Amino acid sequence: VGQNPPEDDPAMLEVRLRRLPRGVPLPDDFETVEAALPEPAAGQLLCRVVYLSLDPYLRGAISGRHLGHAPLRPGDVVPGRSLAQVVRSRLAGFADGDYVVAETGWREHALSAGQGARKVDPAAAPLSTALGVLGMPGLTAWAGVVELLRPRAGDTFVVSAAAGPVGSTAGQLARIAGCRVVGIAGSAEKCAHATGLFGFDACVDYKHPRWRDHLAAACPDGVDGYFDNVGGDTLQAVLEQLRPGGTVVLCGLVSQYNLDAPTGLSLGPVIARRARLLGLVVYDHEHRFAEFHTRASAWLREGRLRYLEDRATGLPSAPAHFHRLMSGQNVGKSLVVVGPESA
Amino acid sequence: VGQNPPEDDPAMLEVRLRRLPRGVPLPDDFETVEAALPEPAAGQLLCRVVYLSLDPYLRGAISGRHLGHAPLRPGDVVPGRSLAQVVRSRLAGFADGDYVVAETGWREHALSAGQGARKVDPAAAPLSTALGVLGMPGLTAWAGVVELLRPRAGDTFVVSAAAGPVGSTAGQLARIAGCRVVGIAGSAEKCAHATGLFGFDACVDYKHPRWRDHLAAACPDGVDGYFDNVGGDTLQAVLEQLRPGGTVVLCGLVSQYNLDAPTGLSLGPVIARRARLLGLVVYDHEHRFAEFHTRASAWLREGRLRYLEDRATGLPSAPAHFHRLMSGQNVGKSLVVVGPESA
C-alpha cells in the first residue's frame, strides 16, 4: 500500500509544479510522480510523448504571464508541447502510429482532443525538428524576418539568443536574404556555433565586459534590423547602434522573465533614429505555416538551414533541463527525449 | 571701469550657461549679461527677438543629448529659436521689418545667416503662434498624428503632456479625425484646459495615486493610438491599455530628461499586443510644413484648433521660466516676451 498504483495497472510519469518558482526555476520547484495512464474518450487521441519541447515562454506560462495561460497552482502538471506518437486514436483524421505535435504537458502519455495538434511526416525531416527549426521556433523566426523585418541584401542584421532555435533560424533566414548577420549570445561556445554551424558573419559574447565595443566593431555601418529575443541591457545596446529608420522586432524578453521589476530602458535612441519597434506573437502567423514549412524543409535538405539541439533523456530530467534553459546554459533547441521514436 | 560696456555703446542682454545643470535646471545655472550689439556682415540678418521659445528639447541640447548639439560649456549662450524682427538685412530675400522664426539663442538681438530662418506673415495669425501651434510644436503634432499614427474615426487616441503645445495640438488633430481623445497631464488645471479649451473627451491627472484606474476607465475599449511625449511610467501605463495592433508614437521623454538613469520599462505589453512603437523626429517632416501650415491656419481661424501660452516678460526671466517648463509647471506653450512686436 502506498502512493504508487498496483504494478499491474498501466502507469506513467508526469511532472507537476511543487511551488511557484521565484526567479530562475529550480529543479526542486517541480516533482515527478506516477499517474494512471489515461483512457481516450470518443474524439480524443492517446499520445505517447517522444520529444518534450522546453521553451522560454513556459516561464511566463507558469506564472500566468503568457497569453492564454492562467498561473499554475502547486500540483498542476506543467504545460508544454511535444512531438508524440498516437497510441490510440478515437479522433477522425488521426490513425494509430501517426506522429503529431500537440500540447501534452510534461507527461509520458497525454490525451489530446486534436485542437492545435498537427500531424508530422516522419519521412520529411528528423522528427525532433518539428519542435525546433521546422516548428514553432522556426515559424517565429520566419514571421519576424520575412513578415516584419523584411531585410534587404547588404543590410546589417543582428539577432540575440543567436544559438537558440529562434535566433539561429532568424539569422540564417537573414543570411539567405543576403544580409550581413551578427549574433549576440552568452558564451564563447554559443558564438562559435553561430559563426561556425550557422554561418553568421560575427557573434558577440554579451558576457564579455567590453561586448558593446565588440558589437559596434562588428556593425561598423550600424544596425538595420534587430531580432530581439532578450530585452533589457542587450536591447538597449543594440538600440544605440541602430541606423536611422532601423527596425526592431520584439519577440522575447528572456533577460526579464526571472526579474521582479523590469530593468531601466531608454527609448531615446528609438526617437533619435526614427526607429520602429514591432511586437511579434507567433500565433498571428500560423496561417503562414505551410509556406514556411515548405521553404524551410527544402533549405534544411539543401544544408542551407541548420539546427542544434540540447537534449536530456527521460521525463524526470525535465526540471533540471528547464533550469538549464532558463539560466541560459542550453546550447540549441532544448528538448527532453521521453521515449523512443518507434515504440 | 567694469564688465559693462560704455553707456554710449549699443548693448543688449544675453543669457549664458553658468554651469551644466544637474537634474531640473535651476535659474542659478544661468546668468544674464550685457553684450555688444552685433553687426551683420554681408549675407547676414540682424534680428531683434520678440518672442523667445522655450522647449523641452533644450534640456537635451544643453547636455549634448539632442541631435546635432554638442554639450554647452559654461559661458556659452543658451541655444533657442525665436520669433524675431529683422532690424537690418544684408541677406537677399529678407527685408528690414520682416518677421522670421530663426535660431537666435537666448539673446535680445542675434545674427542669422538665414539657414533655418523662415519668414512669418504677421497678417496670417498672431505672431507668437509661429513658435507653437503653427510652428515646430504644431508640425510635430501633425507629423505624429497625420503621418505616423493615422487614426481612424472612432479610435481611442491618448496623448500625454496634453496641455502642452505638441500634446494639445495632437489631441485636437485626432479629434478633427473623429477620434475619442483622452489626455494625460500633470494637474487638475491642465486637465481642465484639455477637456475645456481643447475639447478632449477626457483627461487624466497622472499625479493622482489612482490615475491608472482613471486611464482605464477613460479608455474602456483600450487604446488604439498613443502620442507619447513623456516616456517612463506614463508610457508603461498606456502600453498596458493598448489594443492589439495599437500604435505608439515616441516623440519625447520629458519624464527622463532630468534623470541620471532611465526608469524601468517592460516591453512585454508591446509583444503581447503586437504593437508598433515609432520614433518621431520633427526634422524629418519639414517638407510637409506648407501643407501643415495651410490646414492648421485655416482650422485656427475657424476656431477648430486652439492654443494656450505660458508667457514671461523680459529676457532675464528666461532661466526661471525654463525651470518652470522643465519642472512641468507651465500651462501651454512656454515663451518669453523679449520685446514688443513692433519696434
Side-chain angles (χ1 to χ4, degrees):
Chain A
V1 181
Q3 284 188 293
N4 295 343
E7 300 232 339
D8 54 347
D9 243 33
M12 61 160 200
L13 296 178
E14 64 185 24
V15 180
R16 298 178 184 164
L17 189 71
R18 177 179 280 160
R19 58 169 178 246
L20 276 176
R22 293 182 55 98
V24 177
L26 301 171
D28 218 29
D29 294 331
F30 305 89
E31 59 187 342
T32 305
V33 298
E34 279 196 33
L37 200 63
E39 271 291 314
Q44 289 187 324
L45 308 170
L46 176 62
C47 298
R48 179 182 66 80
V49 173
V50 178
Y51 299 112
L52 169 65
S53 181
L54 300 183
D55 300 275
Y57 80 84
L58 291 173
R59 180 66 186 88
I62 289 170
S63 299
R65 293 193 307 260
H66 192 73
L67 303 171
H69 282 270
L72 251 56
R73 285 168 303 190
D76 286 347
V77 174
V78 184
R81 291 168 74 84
S82 299
L83 182 286
Q85 189 173 31
V86 176
V87 173
R88 190 162 160 231
S89 174
R90 299 191 63 190
L91 179 60
F94 293 85
D96 293 1
D98 278 354
Y99 290 98
V100 294
V101 169
E103 174 68 36
T104 59
W106 293 14
R107 284 189 182 95
E108 290 182 323
H109 287 78
L111 298 177
S112 168
Q115 310 103 310
R118 170 172 64 80
K119 276 206 267 192
V120 173
D121 174 4
L127 279 173
S128 62
T129 60
L131 299 174
V133 63
L134 294 185
M136 206 60 90
L139 180 63
T140 304
W142 175 275
V145 176
V146 177
E147 308 279 335
L148 296 180
L149 284 165
R150 301 182 197 181
R152 293 159 306 181
D155 278 2
T156 296
F157 180 99
V158 175
V159 57
S160 53
V166 175
S168 63
T169 308
Q172 291 177 92
L173 292 174
R175 253 196 113 235
I176 289 170
C179 297
R180 172 178 167 74
V181 174
V182 176
I184 301 173
S187 73
E189 182 192 3
K190 292 177 183 180
C191 286
H193 287 302
T195 55
L197 181 67
F198 300 127
F200 289 15
D201 297 279
C203 189
V204 174
D205 178 356
Y206 72 84
K207 292 187 176 165
H208 191 288
R210 293 188 52 211
W211 80 273
R212 283 178 173 74
D213 297 336
H214 301 168
L215 178 68
C219 305
D221 301 322
V223 174
D224 298 285
Y226 174 46
F227 192 116
D228 182 41
N229 291 303
V230 301
D233 288 342
T234 304
L235 173 60
Q236 184 75 70
V238 181
L239 291 180
E240 287 162 11
Q241 300 293 332
L242 274 187
R243 285 168 60 100
T247 302
V248 175
V249 160
L250 301 172
C251 178
L253 292 166
V254 170
S255 72
Q256 309 288 298
Y257 288 167
N258 300 310
L259 303 179
D260 289 329
T263 53
L265 185 69
S266 167
L267 296 180
V270 178
I271 299 178
R273 272 73 166 189
R274 300 81 157 156
R276 297 186 304 154
L277 271 55
L278 308 176
L280 166 61
V281 173
V282 65
Y283 308 133
D284 294 344
H285 301 269
E286 288 187 329
H287 63 290
R288 311 304 295 264
F289 188 83
E291 177 190 355
F292 149 71
H293 194 269
T294 301
R295 303 286 292 275
S297 301
W299 286 327
L300 198 70
R301 283 190 297 271
E302 295 162 13
R304 298 181 72 189
L305 200 53
R306 295 171 179 183
Y307 65 98
L308 194 60
E309 290 179 343
D310 196 66
R311 292 182 173 214
T313 301
L315 185 68
S317 66
H321 208 51
F322 189 54
H323 174 76
R324 179 175 159 87
L325 169 67
M326 292 311 301
S327 52
Q329 299 172 66
N330 65 304
V331 181
K333 167 63 195 154
S334 180
L335 52 83
V336 178
V337 184
V338 175
E341 294 197 349
S342 304
Chain B
V1 180
Q3 284 188 294
N4 294 344
E7 298 233 340
D8 55 344
D9 244 31
M12 61 161 201
L13 297 178
E14 63 185 25
V15 179
R16 298 178 184 164
L17 189 70
R18 177 180 280 161
R19 59 170 178 247
L20 276 176
R22 292 182 55 98
V24 177
L26 301 171
D28 218 30
D29 295 330
F30 304 89
E31 58 187 343
T32 304
V33 297
E34 280 196 34
L37 200 64
E39 271 292 312
Q44 289 187 326
L45 307 170
L46 175 63
C47 298
R48 178 183 66 83
V49 173
V50 178
Y51 299 111
L52 169 65
S53 181
L54 299 182
D55 300 274
Y57 80 85
L58 291 174
R59 179 67 186 88
I62 289 170
S63 298
R65 293 193 308 260
H66 191 73
L67 303 172
H69 283 269
L72 251 57
R73 285 168 304 192
D76 287 347
V77 174
V78 185
R81 291 167 75 84
S82 298
L83 183 286
Q85 189 172 31
V86 176
V87 173
R88 190 161 161 231
S89 174
R90 299 191 63 192
L91 178 60
F94 293 86
D96 293 0
D98 278 355
Y99 290 98
V100 294
V101 169
E103 174 68 36
T104 58
W106 292 15
R107 284 189 183 94
E108 290 183 324
H109 287 78
L111 297 176
S112 169
Q115 309 104 309
R118 171 172 64 81
K119 277 207 266 192
V120 173
D121 175 4
L127 279 172
S128 62
T129 61
L131 299 174
V133 63
L134 294 185
M136 205 63 89
L139 180 64
T140 304
W142 175 275
V145 176
V146 177
E147 308 279 336
L148 297 180
L149 284 166
R150 301 182 197 182
R152 294 160 305 181
D155 278 2
T156 296
F157 180 99
V158 175
V159 58
S160 54
V166 174
S168 63
T169 308
Q172 291 177 91
L173 292 175
R175 252 194 115 237
I176 289 170
C179 297
R180 170 178 168 75
V181 174
V182 176
I184 301 174
S187 72
E189 181 192 4
K190 292 177 183 180
C191 287
H193 286 302
T195 55
L197 181 66
F198 299 127
F200 289 15
D201 297 279
C203 190
V204 173
D205 178 357
Y206 72 83
K207 292 186 176 165
H208 191 287
R210 293 190 51 210
W211 79 274
R212 283 178 173 75
D213 297 336
H214 301 169
L215 178 68
C219 305
D221 301 322
V223 174
D224 298 285
Y226 174 46
F227 193 117
D228 181 42
N229 291 305
V230 300
D233 288 341
T234 304
L235 173 59
Q236 185 74 70
V238 181
L239 290 180
E240 286 161 13
Q241 300 293 331
L242 274 187
R243 284 169 61 101
T247 302
V248 176
V249 161
L250 301 171
C251 178
L253 293 166
V254 171
S255 73
Q256 309 287 299
Y257 289 167
N258 300 311
L259 303 179
D260 289 331
T263 51
L265 185 68
S266 167
L267 296 180
V270 178
I271 299 179
R273 272 72 167 191
R274 300 83 157 155
R276 298 187 304 154
L277 271 55
L278 308 176
L280 165 61
V281 173
V282 65
Y283 308 133
D284 294 345
H285 300 269
E286 289 186 329
H287 62 290
R288 310 305 295 264
F289 187 82
E291 178 190 354
F292 149 72
H293 195 269
T294 302
R295 302 286 292 276
S297 301
W299 286 326
L300 198 70
R301 284 190 297 271
E302 295 162 13
R304 299 181 71 189
L305 200 52
R306 295 171 179 185
Y307 65 98
L308 194 60
E309 291 179 342
D310 195 67
R311 292 181 172 215
T313 301
L315 186 68
S317 67
H321 207 51
F322 188 55
H323 173 77
R324 179 176 159 87
L325 170 67
M326 292 312 301
S327 52
Q329 300 172 66
N330 66 303
V331 181
K333 167 64 194 151
S334 179
L335 51 83
V336 178
V337 184
V338 175
E341 293 197 351
S342 304

